Amino acid sequence: MDTTELTGSYTYRSFLDLTEPVDDFNKLRFAQLELTLTVGPDGAVSGALVFPTPPEAGLLAMDMVGTATAGPDVRFTLTGKGRPNTPIADFHYAYDGIALRHWEAGTDQRLTLAGTVLRVENHGSGPALAHAGQTASFLAVNRDL
């Protein structure tokens, strides 16, 4: 697989890494967002991780930059930072992932990215403070046909 094949729009979902069984799958939910990526021939990655908001609230997104490398597996690293002058301006996350295997005999399979995410810096304040160091696992499923 060529790294440029990562270019596209994805449904991004991240999950808390809890070890105990849960009675409600939503207890694992960390985020559900839209991820767009553009990968150049040199492996440079740019894009956005867009938060769901009503149209009147304006676009709420983190700008994504990083690199992708080809090999036995396509790997990528990304840094996401909230856009200035938005409620998420202080968001800063790091991502490490791979493109999952494409099964030759699979049906209705989509390109899926998987990996881990790390909250690099604290964001928010008071009771809404989200501490640096939080990790989660993620899957991003390509929406493009």
Side-chain angles (χ1 to χ4, degrees):
M1 172 182 213
D2 184 83
T3 57
T4 59
E5 293 178 57
L6 298 181
T7 296
S9 296
Y10 296 82
T11 298
Y12 169 95
R13 295 179 180 103
S14 53
F15 308 91
L16 296 171
D17 294 326
L18 303 178
T19 58
E20 65 276 0
V22 295
D23 58 355
D24 179 355
F25 197 75
N26 285 313
K27 291 180 181 178
L28 300 175
R29 182 184 176 135
F30 191 62
Q32 181 169 266
L33 309 167
E34 178 182 342
L35 175 65
T36 57
L37 297 177
T38 301
V39 184
D42 62 351
V45 181
S46 62
L49 192 58
V50 180
F51 290 69
T53 57
E56 64 275 5
L59 183 66
L60 200 56
M62 291 194 314
D63 291 317
M64 307 293 279
V65 295
T67 58
T69 56
D73 298 309
V74 172
R75 301 194 62 80
F76 60 91
T77 58
L78 301 169
T79 298
K81 291 189 175 182
R83 292 185 177 167
N85 304 313
T86 68
I88 63 167
D90 57 350
F91 281 28
H92 182 184
Y93 288 83
Y95 303 80
D96 183 64
I98 62 169
L100 294 181
R101 177 182 175 181
H102 178 81
W103 291 92
E104 293 75 16
T107 58
D108 300 324
Q109 185 177 2
R110 300 224 175 226
L111 173 60
T112 301
L113 310 179
T116 59
V117 55
L118 167 73
R119 184 180 298 129
V120 177
E121 297 179 30
N122 291 345
H123 62 73
S125 62
L129 177 65
H131 292 281
Q134 174 74 54
T135 60
S137 299
F138 73 83
L139 293 172
V141 180
N142 192 297
R143 294 179 179 180
D144 303 327
L145 296 176

